[in-house]
């Protein structure tokens, strides 16, 4: 962000508040306009892994299971389910559920969704979650049996993936990602990539038609623009990536509501473990000690985050409150780097150089600049490279980075440690993007997957978290709070820990006065 721009935004907002400007423009019907930070990469639930894609997908699709606003898993498309044995599940979908094309959901659609994700030719990064499936057998129009190769404690968690319509997905091929057909409360009307997405409510939605007739998702990457559009009334909802110092400009204004709650989002620095210097654990630990997370949270985020120790957030039953933390200690960081033989080169003026990749988001770049200065203070030169979201994300999933910062959203089951850190989950088989490899983590994450005894599983993941905290394939930063600013006319929206948009299905937009 340019120097002084936050002050300019704040002044603009305050002027709009204080100068008696017109009320937000009314919208015809109950059309809700929301601002997204970035364009979804895909609207196919079998392919999408980024937050913006997932949030729009939540409005277009249902899984067999879902998380409720408290983060607890509940049946969604399922009428019933039963674990017949340690390696088999009988699933029965609800009758009468319709896709947006009018076709009824059947067990054949569920079977197709699972098997297409498993198909190597399809190239889903979610394939690792289903690699333990040996067979999906249709029992009747609404029932199917899923057979596993071995017990998998987290298997039902995998079934939150959106179910696609078999016929439409087969017919559309790659274009299904931009022409999705799901069972969700809304259906896609238009996607002008980089500009906006228009969703229309479904009157035949199995849980009842939404009260909001349409949702216009505008792609507005610039934070200041999102907030000014919100103030003018051309946008009625903004969630997260909101400069904390600007939240106060909306608090106390009757035209807006500000909601804030803890999240299950984990902010971290990802590291390329194949890098000749960053592959060393002592170097990564020194970097962790060089970053003053407290000052960033207190001064930049104004306390709207909690320091993170690992993937799992407080409130998760597997969270470890006493997990190893790397306190800010630049003197220790310098000593560790000296002991590693990485002395400051008099000619270059640094110990070594790395590149930090990020998106063009203003706050992300502010954070990157602070980390750049803090690493510079211990002799590490860090170049910041900012990209449009699609380019940035493509580099990350392709392993084209030294370090980067991203978030994981909505992690509830510790089986995710397999996806993130098992050596078998290196892309394209999973999301171990840094190519971390530790035989003990491989063993433990594989053991944790098949362990059905809750107490043994708890101990297994205690060991996993302690090893990851020591090895530092990620440098944990913080758990940001969820913050949503919305028009006071929007009633019934409930913040989910993962920042999901699911509650738009039950929310209501009152007419403008």
């Amino acid at each position: 962000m340019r120097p002084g721009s936050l002050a300019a935004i704040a002044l603009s907002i305050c002027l709009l508040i204080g100068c008696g400007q017109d009320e937000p423009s009314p919208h015809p019907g109950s059309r809700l306009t929301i601002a997204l930070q970035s364009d979804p990469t895909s609207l196919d639930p079998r392919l999408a892994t980024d937050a913006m894609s997932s949030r729009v997908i939540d409005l277009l699709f249902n899984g067999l299971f879902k998380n409720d606003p408290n983060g607890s898993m509940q049946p969604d498309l399922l009428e019933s389910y039963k674990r017949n044995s340690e390696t088999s599940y009988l699933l029965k979908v609800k009758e009468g559920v319709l896709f947006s094309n009018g076709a009824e959901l059947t067990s054949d659609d569920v079977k197709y969704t699972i098997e297409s994700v498993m198909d190597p030719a399809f190239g889903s990064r979610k394939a690792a979650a289903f690699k333990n499936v040996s067979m999906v057998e249709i029992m009747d129009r609404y029932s199917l049996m899923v057979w596993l190769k071995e017990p998998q404690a987290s298997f039902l968690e995998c079934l939150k993936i959106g179910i696609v319509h078999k016929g439409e997905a087969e017919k559309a091929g790659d274009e299904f990602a931009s022409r999705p057909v799901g069972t969700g409360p809304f259906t896609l009307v238009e996607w002008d990539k980089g500009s906006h997405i228009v969703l229309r409510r479904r009157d035949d939605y199995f849980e009842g038609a939404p009260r909001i007739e349409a949702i216009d998702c505008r792609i507005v990457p610039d934070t200041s623009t999102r907030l000014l559009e919100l103030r003018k009334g051309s946008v009625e909802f903004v969630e997260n990536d909101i400069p904390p110092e600007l939240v106060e400009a909306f608090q106390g204004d009757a035209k807006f509501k500000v909601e804030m709650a803890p999240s299950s989002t984990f902010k971290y620095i990802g590291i390329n473990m194949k890098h000749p210097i960053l592959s060393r654990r002592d170097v990564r630990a020194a970097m962790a000690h060089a970053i003053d997370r407290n000052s960033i949270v207190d001064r930049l985020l104004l306390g709207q985050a909690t320091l993170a120790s690992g993937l799992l957030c407080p409130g998760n039953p597997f969270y470890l409150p006493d997990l190893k933390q790397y306190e800010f200690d630049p003197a220790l960081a310098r000593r560790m780097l000296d002991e590693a033989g990485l002395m400051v080169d008099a000619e270059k003026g640094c110990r070594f150089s790395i590149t930090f990749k990020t998106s063009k988001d203003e706050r992300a770049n502010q954070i990157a600049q602070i980390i750049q200065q803090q690493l510079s203070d211990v002799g590490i030169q860090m170049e910041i490279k900012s990209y449009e979201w699609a380019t940035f994300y493509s580099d990350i999933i392709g392993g084209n980075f030294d370090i980067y910062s991203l978030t994981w959203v909505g992690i509830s089951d510790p089986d995710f440690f397999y996806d993130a850190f098992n050596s078998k989950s290196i892309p394209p088989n999973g999301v171990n993007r840094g190519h971390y490899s530790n035989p003990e983590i491989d063993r433990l994450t594989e053991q944790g997957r098949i362990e059905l005894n809750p107490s043994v599983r708890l101990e297994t993941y205690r060991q996993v978290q302690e090893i990851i905290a020591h090895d530092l394939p990620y440098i944990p930063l913080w758990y940001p709070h969820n913050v949503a600013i919305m028009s006071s006319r929007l009633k019934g929206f409930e913040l989910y820990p993962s920042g999901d948009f699911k509650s738009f299905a039950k929310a209501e937009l009152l007419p403008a006065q």
Side-chain angles (χ1 to χ4, degrees):
M1 180 178 286
R2 296 186 301 275
S5 59
L6 280 176
I9 300 166
L11 178 61
S12 299
I13 291 174
C14 291
L15 286 172
L16 283 169
I17 294 172
C19 296
Q21 297 295 318
D22 293 338
E23 294 290 314
S25 302
H27 293 271
S30 56
R31 187 184 188 95
L32 174 70
T33 303
I34 69 176
L36 304 181
Q37 300 96 307
S38 60
D39 210 6
T41 59
S42 171
L43 294 181
D44 188 333
R46 301 168 297 171
L47 296 173
T49 56
D50 62 294
M52 288 302 103
S53 297
S54 298
R55 286 169 185 166
V56 177
I57 283 170
D58 280 338
L59 301 174
L60 301 173
F61 292 87
N62 298 88
L64 298 183
F65 287 90
K66 63 181 179 182
N67 283 343
D68 65 17
N70 298 316
S72 300
M73 194 170 70
Q74 306 290 341
D76 194 356
L77 291 175
L78 284 181
E79 180 67 36
S80 63
Y81 64 98
K82 178 183 179 183
R83 191 174 76 192
N84 279 5
S85 70
E86 289 189 346
T87 56
S88 63
Y89 290 84
L90 179 62
L91 310 174
K92 185 178 188 303
V93 299
K94 295 175 179 176
E95 298 182 23
V97 174
L98 301 180
F99 284 97
S100 57
N101 65 350
E104 186 185 23
L105 168 74
T106 70
S107 53
D108 200 29
D109 299 302
V110 178
K111 173 181 169 71
Y112 172 78
T113 299
I114 295 173
E115 291 182 342
S116 61
V117 171
M118 294 169 59
D119 183 359
F122 185 65
S124 173
R125 292 186 177 86
K126 300 180 180 180
F130 294 94
K131 65 181 299 183
N132 190 34
V133 174
S134 64
M135 183 174 65
V136 181
E137 180 183 5
I138 293 177
M139 311 302 289
D140 59 39
R141 181 173 176 81
Y142 304 107
S143 303
L144 66 159
M145 185 79 75
V146 181
W147 301 88
L148 307 180
K149 300 170 187 174
E150 57 187 5
Q152 182 178 344
S154 65
F155 177 66
L156 297 182
E157 186 82 18
C158 304
L159 299 180
K160 292 189 295 185
I161 189 170
I163 302 301
V164 305
H165 183 267
K166 177 182 178 181
E168 294 289 350
E170 287 180 329
K171 181 171 63 176
D174 292 343
E175 293 185 8
F176 189 80
S178 56
R179 294 195 283 118
V181 175
T183 60
F186 293 85
T187 185
L188 180 68
V189 175
E190 180 184 1
W191 184 7
D192 184 355
K193 295 187 178 181
S195 175
H196 65 275
I197 296 170
V198 179
L199 309 179
R200 184 181 65 244
R201 79 176 180 189
R202 290 186 51 210
D203 292 334
D204 58 356
Y205 182 52
F206 73 98
E207 290 191 330
R211 295 179 178 180
I212 295 172
E213 293 179 7
I215 300 178
D216 187 354
C217 308
R218 292 180 52 194
I219 315 304
V220 188
D222 182 72
T223 303
S224 58
T225 303
R226 285 199 300 275
L227 293 176
L228 290 173
E229 292 297 315
L230 180 66
R231 170 57 62 192
K232 290 189 297 183
S234 52
V235 164
E236 290 137 339
F237 179 91
V238 171
E239 184 184 72
N240 294 333
D241 287 330
I242 303 168
E245 63 272 24
L246 298 183
V247 172
E248 293 182 0
F250 292 88
Q251 290 176 323
D253 185 332
K255 295 192 296 294
F256 299 96
K257 289 188 298 182
V258 177
E259 296 192 4
M260 192 179 305
S263 77
S264 57
T265 298
F266 169 60
K267 182 78 170 177
Y268 66 95
I269 294 176
I271 301 171
N272 186 345
M273 302 291 283
K274 297 190 297 181
H275 188 282
I277 296 177
L278 301 178
S279 61
R280 299 173 55 174
R281 187 261 166 193
D282 52 354
V283 173
R284 299 193 298 276
M287 291 171 61
H289 282 300
I291 298 172
D292 188 355
R293 300 179 299 154
N294 268 308
S295 70
I296 298 174
V297 168
D298 290 344
R299 298 177 186 177
L300 189 64
L301 305 182
L302 300 185
Q304 294 179 20
T306 303
L307 293 188
S309 57
L311 278 172
L312 304 179
C313 66
N316 188 295
F318 291 85
Y319 172 75
L320 295 182
D322 57 350
L323 201 59
K324 179 178 176 62
Q325 295 262 19
Y326 292 80
E327 301 299 333
F328 175 57
D329 192 338
L332 175 59
R334 294 186 195 98
R335 187 164 65 250
M336 293 177 70
L337 293 169
D338 286 345
E339 292 172 355
L342 296 168
M343 312 303 291
V344 175
D345 185 300
E347 184 177 335
K348 296 180 179 178
C350 66
R351 301 173 189 271
F352 62 91
S353 300
I354 55 175
T355 298
F356 181 100
K357 290 192 172 182
T358 186
S359 69
K360 288 189 176 294
D361 178 80
E362 297 169 16
R363 185 50 50 110
N365 277 270
Q366 282 185 310
I367 292 170
Q369 289 164 16
I370 295 172
I371 293 173
Q372 180 186 50
Q373 181 58 56
Q374 293 175 348
L375 291 182
S376 175
D377 289 344
V378 301
I380 300 172
Q381 184 179 76
M382 187 185 95
E383 179 186 5
I384 300 171
K385 290 190 175 181
S386 302
Y387 302 90
E388 296 296 339
W389 171 254
T391 301
F392 165 61
Y393 192 64
S394 177
D395 276 356
I396 301 311
I397 62 179
N400 182 22
F401 59 85
D402 293 340
I403 64 174
Y404 66 93
S405 184
L406 267 178
T407 57
W408 284 117
V409 178
I411 299 169
S412 53
D413 192 277
D415 185 57
F416 187 77
F417 282 101
Y418 180 96
D419 299 325
F421 298 121
N422 191 287
S423 62
K424 296 186 181 72
S425 294
I426 290 171
N429 299 316
V431 292
N432 183 355
R433 297 160 182 163
H435 289 241
Y436 170 71
S437 180
N438 181 326
E440 184 64 3
I441 286 294
D442 287 353
R443 183 186 71 80
L444 288 169
T445 54
E446 289 161 15
Q447 175 184 319
R449 301 199 105 185
I450 65 174
E451 182 55 64
L452 301 180
N453 184 306
S455 60
V456 176
R457 197 165 185 251
L458 194 67
E459 171 60 20
T460 298
Y461 286 109
R462 180 191 65 78
Q463 296 178 51
V464 167
Q465 291 178 81
E466 290 177 346
I467 294 172
I468 293 298
H470 174 270
D471 284 1
L472 282 178
Y474 287 170
I475 296 178
L477 294 177
W478 47 77
Y479 309 110
H481 297 168
N482 280 327
V483 181
I485 306 177
M486 64 198 79
S487 166
S488 59
R489 296 189 296 118
L490 181 63
K491 306 295 184 182
F493 180 83
E494 189 170 5
L495 277 174
Y496 277 63
S498 58
D500 292 347
F501 288 166
K502 289 185 177 73
S503 61
F504 280 138
K506 298 186 181 300
E508 180 180 10
L509 185 66
L510 300 180
Q513 299 299 316

